[in-house]
Amino acid sequence: MQLTQLEKEHAKRVRSMLSECMVLLKTNGDFPLTEPGKIALYGSGARNTLRGGTGSGEVYSHFTISVEKGLERAGFTITTKDWLDAYDEIMKEARQAFLADVKRRAKEHHVNPVVEGMGAVMLQPEYELPLSGEGDVAVYVLSRICGEGNDRKAKKGDFFLTDTEVRDILALNKQYAKFMLVLNVGGPVDLSKVSEVKNVLLLSQLGALTGAGFADVLLGKKNPSGKLATTWAAWEDYSKIGEFGDRDDTRYREGIYVGYRYFDSVGKTPLYPFGYGLSFTKFEMESQGAELCGEIVTVKLTVKNVGELSGKEVAQLYVSVPQGKLDQPKQTLAGFVKTKELAPGESQELMIAFALSDIASYDAETSSFVLEKGVYVLRLGNSSRNLSVCGALKLSKDVVTKQVRHCLGTTDFEDFKPEVTEEEKLSKDVTVLTVDPKAFEVTKVRYREDGDVDPELLDFSDDELIYLNIGSFDQSEGQFGGAIGNSGRMVAGSAGETTGVLREKGIPVLSMADGPAGLRISKKFWVDEDGAHSVGNVMLEGLADFLPKPAAFLMKLKGAKRPKKGAQIQSQYCTSIPIGTALAQSFNMRLAQRCGDVIGREMEEFGVDLWLAPAMNIHRDIRCGRNFEYYSEDPLVTGKIAAAITTGVQSHRGRGVTIKHFAANNQETNRYYNNSIVSERAMREIYLKGFEICVREAAPMTVMTSYNLLNGIHTSERRDLIDWVLRKEFGFNGVVMTDWIVDGTRPKDTANPEARASRIAAAGGELIMPGRKSDFDDMKEALKAGRLTRKQLLINGTRLLHLLRRLKEE
């Protein structure tokens, strides 16, 4: 294996970040180890360590270092090779049974097995294997796979541990002098049955170097400093108020009470709370008081390392908003900051600042964001459940901070409201600062229907304007130029391209590659006069087993070309970075920006213009199959990390990101046709806020709408979402594209309609991807019938033209 210099540089950079993405859940001082030696290694993730999830989250790097390989390279002797070999055989048998079940379900649902199998979770099997490894140290690596296209299940082998996993973990905890449970997972699992284990590390899924990163931590070369971006709890303690997994309609009855907002407000104690994470060293945190300047609140603090090892800590600031006309969660994260690497005995002075208008609540009755009168309590600490009051703010009257327009539809239910608890009494030594209501300026959003038209487009025919509004497709076959996520010709294995039929008019083509854990393009490719062609299938590479005649069917489905005689086979391996949830666990915007810089540099190297990431949907329910791609249950963490990685990518001239999936895309079940029914308040405060933060702080070049419907209308067809909220309220000044709308995805038993290209364009969607002749025909018919106007096509085309110039002329 010969790595390029770029691969080596990026591998080194990414490895240095990994410990910040790991979360130490429990420790008794047995770890880290002082030197390598004999080690008994067990578990599903020991040899087959997962670097990420499936679907668009997959990345093809040159190598993967498993936990087994990482420990051996670090000098350990694995004493359980027989156990690992035997477990491999058990997994092979379980895989065959799983494939047969997927094919059976596909037949029942009247869909292609590839569609049924995409992201499907194979439950971990039960097994009977002896625990006979030598040594005083044992590690059990528990893994869970999840991915695009299917949701997780509250079953043993997925969210729950299997009986044999529980049995062996508890046995190893007693059998070995030093034992660590390592979680190679993309989301929470229920650890309530193994609570007696004294050392637990959330390794997460950290890309190709996951095993190397673990070895660094086990030997104390690195100290884990991550914090949970999602609450971990026993199954029975998670909220069941809202619906999840319904095929047609999913009601978000829980309203704003998502994640820690729910747990804290109803008084339930999770296993591990939001923001929680330990270290191999210890820290002390002390507030230096709060200051108020206009509407800007600043809390100064000092963090000191009082332990024996170097490490980093995260300070978190929460605000308890007074109950008034609007119900409020017990507390909301308002800001956070991470220390530098602190040596033993070293201190660092820090500050956390936020604008009060950023924590304003949405009043649907008046269509405004408001700060209600009362006392706002500030709490500082290192998790949502380890906080001390550090100040308070008093507002004498209600203040409107932003006046908007009612939109996004209505629900057929009232949002959940927890019982109001007695207002907290502050101690006399808490400083209460008075907020001047006159310090706020009311933002009044203008919703004027506008849209500039570039003179260059005035002589374009109607057909040419329609082509500009649609991704590249094969006009002879009526479909886009390849399989889902593998249709590009400029870059082999890229997800898609803008139209190429207007090159003679000087309109360049943009190449797009999937994400969000790196660039998802082909490992191997060849080039002829028609462009670059993949060797194999990027999107369906892991799904061929679901097909009746894999090779022949795959070639037909993809429209792939065999390499011509004498064609040179080239390679383009990319860096696999940590999954989105792991990046968020770092609570480090600089780290996220450095990851974005890695991606942007590889976009330059391989000719990719747009990265179809970051993915920003909220961890509404721990069963969502794509949560591993998403950052957090909290919109502030989501927005800040997304803004940082966006900044990193777009610091490279001519490279842009596509933040997605806009919006309320929180389950994979029937994802193309599911209708998310959500209140306007919950949308604005939870599901849209992260997007707003990213847009305002980092100016992403494109936004991708989601597959789902929102209150009865596809998000891609909602002008109020695309134009009113995104453009007018958030100030977005780029291009809006759809997710990949393709044929053959509609189940016969779904009640909701398909998204239509003409309605998308009329709503202000500039780019319908990946492009089909049926989209062209639909738009042409709508233009003729008056359902779509030439003026709107000119406006859409102008925005796309401006993006092309920004990317191609920079």
Side-chain angles (χ1 to χ4, degrees):
M1 178 179 67
Q2 186 67 39
L3 300 181
T4 65
Q5 186 61 36
L6 185 64
E7 287 179 284
K8 293 176 183 178
E9 292 173 4
H10 285 178
K12 183 178 180 180
R13 290 185 68 184
V14 170
R15 182 170 179 171
S16 70
M17 308 174 191
L18 299 185
S19 63
E20 294 201 48
C21 302
M22 302 180 203
V23 183
L24 186 62
L25 298 177
K26 295 181 75 173
T27 180
N28 69 347
D30 286 345
F31 299 93
L33 303 175
T34 57
E35 60 183 1
K38 290 183 177 181
I39 191 168
L41 183 62
Y42 302 94
S44 54
R47 174 172 291 171
N48 299 302
T49 307
L50 299 173
R51 62 185 185 183
T54 63
S56 63
E58 180 60 281
V59 176
Y60 299 107
S61 55
H62 221 140
F63 62 92
T64 297
I65 299 178
S66 66
V67 169
E68 180 185 21
K69 287 181 181 178
L71 292 177
E72 288 178 329
R73 291 184 180 185
F76 286 92
T77 299
I78 309 296
T79 65
T80 50
K81 291 288 188 177
D82 289 345
W83 193 98
L84 297 173
D85 291 341
Y87 190 82
D88 283 348
E89 294 302 314
I90 290 170
M91 286 295 290
K92 287 178 183 178
E93 293 179 10
R95 172 73 176 171
Q96 292 305 312
F98 168 70
L99 293 174
D101 184 59
V102 169
K103 292 174 183 177
R104 177 189 58 78
R105 295 201 314 265
K107 190 174 182 179
E108 288 179 0
H109 296 156
H110 307 287
V111 297
N112 191 298
V114 167
V115 175
E116 186 71 27
M118 182 179 288
V121 174
M122 188 188 91
L123 302 179
Q124 292 295 314
E126 302 285 358
Y127 59 87
E128 293 294 332
L129 296 172
L131 305 175
S132 55
E134 298 178 24
D136 295 327
V137 180
V139 170
Y140 190 101
V141 185
L142 183 144
S143 67
R144 291 291 187 268
I145 189 69
C146 48
E148 180 179 4
N150 269 274
D151 290 314
R152 297 180 64 194
K153 303 292 188 296
K155 292 182 178 180
K156 294 178 181 179
D158 189 350
F159 179 70
F160 294 112
L161 275 58
T162 66
D163 293 339
T164 44
E165 286 173 334
V166 172
R167 179 198 66 197
D168 284 2
I169 289 168
L170 295 178
L172 294 169
N173 190 53
K174 294 178 181 178
Q175 183 176 333
Y176 289 86
K178 295 182 178 182
F179 172 67
M180 177 182 283
L181 172 59
V182 176
L183 306 171
N184 175 218
V185 298
V189 289
D190 190 337
L191 298 176
S192 56
K193 290 188 176 182
V194 293
S195 59
E196 64 188 65
V197 176
K198 298 179 178 64
N199 296 281
V200 182
L201 176 71
L202 172 55
L203 175 62
S204 195
Q205 296 167 350
L206 305 176
L209 291 157
T210 300
F214 172 68
D216 290 341
V217 165
L218 193 66
L219 287 172
K221 295 178 180 179
K222 291 285 187 176
N223 196 341
S225 61
K227 302 288 184 177
L228 289 180
T230 290
T231 304
W232 282 47
W235 172 250
E236 59 269 19
D237 290 330
Y238 281 108
S239 172
K240 308 300 188 302
I241 297 167
E243 298 172 351
F244 181 85
D246 298 69
R247 291 189 64 77
D248 289 327
D249 295 325
T250 301
R251 291 171 175 79
Y252 291 40
R253 298 182 187 275
E254 72 279 6
I256 62 172
Y257 296 93
V258 176
Y260 72 89
R261 288 170 169 80
Y262 168 77
F263 281 92
D264 294 349
S265 299
V266 302
K268 284 192 175 183
T269 302
L271 296 175
Y272 302 104
F274 173 84
Y276 171 86
L278 303 176
S279 172
F280 288 143
T281 190
K282 296 184 182 297
F283 299 95
E284 288 181 352
M285 187 180 301
E286 183 179 357
S287 169
Q288 304 300 326
E291 299 176 356
L292 179 65
C293 181
E295 67 154 320
I296 305 300
V297 180
T298 302
V299 172
K300 296 181 178 179
L301 62 132
T302 301
V303 177
K304 182 177 183 179
N305 183 346
V306 296
E308 298 178 354
L309 297 172
S310 296
K312 296 184 178 184
E313 178 63 296
V314 177
Q316 303 164 41
L317 181 64
Y318 295 77
V319 180
S320 292
V321 176
Q323 303 284 345
K325 172 186 175 183
L326 301 175
D327 56 291
Q328 299 291 347
K330 180 179 179 179
Q331 58 191 16
T332 298
L333 182 68
F336 57 90
V337 64
K338 194 163 193 173
T339 68
K340 65 179 183 179
E341 184 88 10
L342 295 177
E346 187 178 7
S347 299
Q348 184 179 7
E349 294 183 355
L350 302 163
M351 65 174 60
I352 302 174
F354 70 96
L356 279 168
S357 56
D358 288 341
I359 62 167
S361 302
Y362 184 69
D363 181 3
E365 188 176 300
T366 60
S367 300
S368 62
F369 286 87
V370 298
L371 291 166
E372 296 192 278
K373 66 180 180 180
V375 176
Y376 293 71
V377 181
L378 306 176
R379 292 185 173 86
L380 180 69
N382 64 359
S383 86
S384 61
R385 290 295 176 102
N386 187 29
L387 302 167
S388 298
V389 175
C390 64
L393 312 165
K394 188 173 183 179
L395 183 62
S396 59
K397 68 176 185 178
D398 295 351
V399 172
V400 174
T401 62
K402 192 174 187 179
Q403 188 67 54
V404 294
R405 178 186 284 182
H406 167 69
C407 57
L408 307 180
T410 58
T411 67
D412 57 1
F413 58 86
E414 294 292 326
D415 281 356
F416 164 76
K417 295 180 182 180
E419 293 183 12
V420 178
T421 57
E422 191 173 321
E423 189 172 317
E424 180 180 4
K425 294 182 180 179
L426 299 176
S427 62
K428 294 181 180 179
D429 60 345
V430 173
T431 300
V432 180
L433 304 173
T434 300
V435 181
D436 184 359
K438 295 180 182 178
F440 300 88
E441 291 186 11
V442 182
T443 300
K444 295 183 178 180
V445 180
R446 297 179 61 195
Y447 295 92
R448 181 171 58 89
E449 292 293 334
D450 56 8
D452 296 331
V453 174
D454 194 294
E456 183 178 337
L457 297 179
L458 293 177
D459 65 344
F460 275 44
S461 68
D462 291 347
D463 284 5
E464 289 170 334
L465 290 175
I466 293 173
Y467 278 125
L468 195 57
N469 218 142
I470 302 174
S472 178
F473 64 90
D474 189 325
Q475 299 176 60
S476 64
E477 297 181 7
Q479 182 59 284
F480 55 97
I484 304 172
N486 194 19
S487 58
R489 286 291 174 262
M490 295 170 63
V491 179
S494 59
E497 298 170 353
T498 54
T499 185
V501 302
L502 301 174
R503 280 193 175 97
E504 292 184 1
K505 281 186 169 283
I507 304 298
V509 179
L510 294 182
S511 175
M512 309 171 199
D514 229 331
L519 290 183
R520 181 179 169 83
I521 55 180
S522 294
K523 295 177 287 189
K524 301 286 185 179
F525 69 100
W526 59 282
V527 179
D528 67 4
E529 63 276 6
D530 295 326
H533 307 278
S534 299
V535 176
N537 189 320
V538 173
M539 193 64 181
L540 301 178
E541 193 164 289
L543 299 171
D545 289 344
F546 297 119
L547 302 174
K549 293 181 179 179
F553 190 85
L554 188 61
M555 294 296 283
K556 179 180 178 182
L557 180 68
K558 184 172 188 283
K561 296 173 67 174
R562 291 179 179 272
K564 294 181 178 179
K565 187 176 180 180
Q568 180 183 1
I569 305 301
Q570 304 177 56
S571 62
Q572 49 183 12
Y573 290 98
C574 299
T575 301
S576 177
I577 65 173
I579 60 173
T581 301
L583 285 179
Q585 287 168 181
S586 76
F587 276 70
N588 188 337
M589 277 84 80
R590 289 183 180 178
L591 181 148
Q593 185 170 335
R594 291 200 302 271
C595 281
D597 179 56
V598 167
I599 302 301
R601 176 66 186 86
E602 293 187 357
M603 291 171 71
E604 291 176 332
E605 179 74 10
F606 300 119
V608 175
D609 301 303
L610 284 176
W611 185 44
L612 302 180
M616 299 181 56
N617 297 101
I618 293 294
H619 292 181
R620 172 183 176 248
D621 191 294
I622 55 94
R623 292 169 290 179
C624 176
R626 293 185 82 172
N627 273 355
F628 74 96
E629 295 186 34
Y630 309 148
Y631 295 119
S632 175
E633 66 188 26
D634 181 77
L636 178 67
V637 172
T638 295
K640 291 289 187 178
I641 296 296
I645 200 167
T646 295
T647 299
V649 172
Q650 295 189 170
S651 66
H652 295 264
R653 296 183 63 184
R655 314 298 154 182
V657 308
T658 304
I659 60 174
K660 64 182 184 182
H661 308 88
F662 194 67
N665 182 81
N666 301 106
Q667 73 176 45
E668 290 298 285
T669 302
N670 197 26
R671 60 179 180 154
Y672 298 99
Y673 302 101
N674 189 263
N675 179 30
S676 296
I677 305 178
V678 198
S679 71
E680 188 178 0
R681 183 183 180 191
M683 283 298 299
R684 290 183 176 279
E685 292 188 25
I686 303 295
Y687 301 103
L688 295 176
K689 188 171 184 178
F691 287 96
E692 180 178 16
I693 292 169
C694 185
V695 167
R696 291 191 181 282
E697 294 189 1
M701 293 195 182
T702 61
V703 171
M704 180 189 291
T705 54
S706 52
Y707 283 130
N708 57 281
L709 295 83
L710 172 62
N711 295 327
I713 301 173
H714 278 280
T715 58
S716 56
E717 299 177 354
R718 294 206 71 114
R719 191 173 190 86
D720 54 359
L721 180 67
I722 294 172
D723 188 68
W724 298 1
V725 174
L726 182 60
R727 295 193 182 281
K728 301 300 193 303
E729 295 180 19
F730 295 177
F732 178 66
N733 190 31
V735 161
V736 176
M737 71 171 72
T738 68
D739 205 336
W740 267 224
I741 302 172
V742 295
D743 299 323
T745 59
R746 182 179 175 82
K748 293 183 179 180
D749 58 351
T750 191
N752 291 321
E754 293 181 303
R756 297 291 295 273
S758 57
R759 293 195 294 263
I760 294 167
E766 288 85 16
L767 200 50
I768 297 150
M769 294 299 296
R772 303 172 294 181
K773 187 174 185 301
S774 58
D775 296 328
F776 180 90
D777 293 341
D778 175 58
M779 290 176 67
K780 192 166 185 178
E781 180 184 346
L783 191 62
K784 184 178 180 180
R787 299 191 305 273
L788 176 63
T789 66
R790 178 178 169 85
K791 180 180 179 181
Q792 187 64 59
L793 288 177
L794 285 167
I795 292 171
N796 294 353
T798 296
R799 289 171 178 154
L800 181 58
L801 190 59
H802 290 174
L803 175 68
L804 291 167
R805 288 172 179 163
R806 288 176 64 190
L807 290 172
K808 292 299 186 180
E809 295 178 8
E810 285 187 349

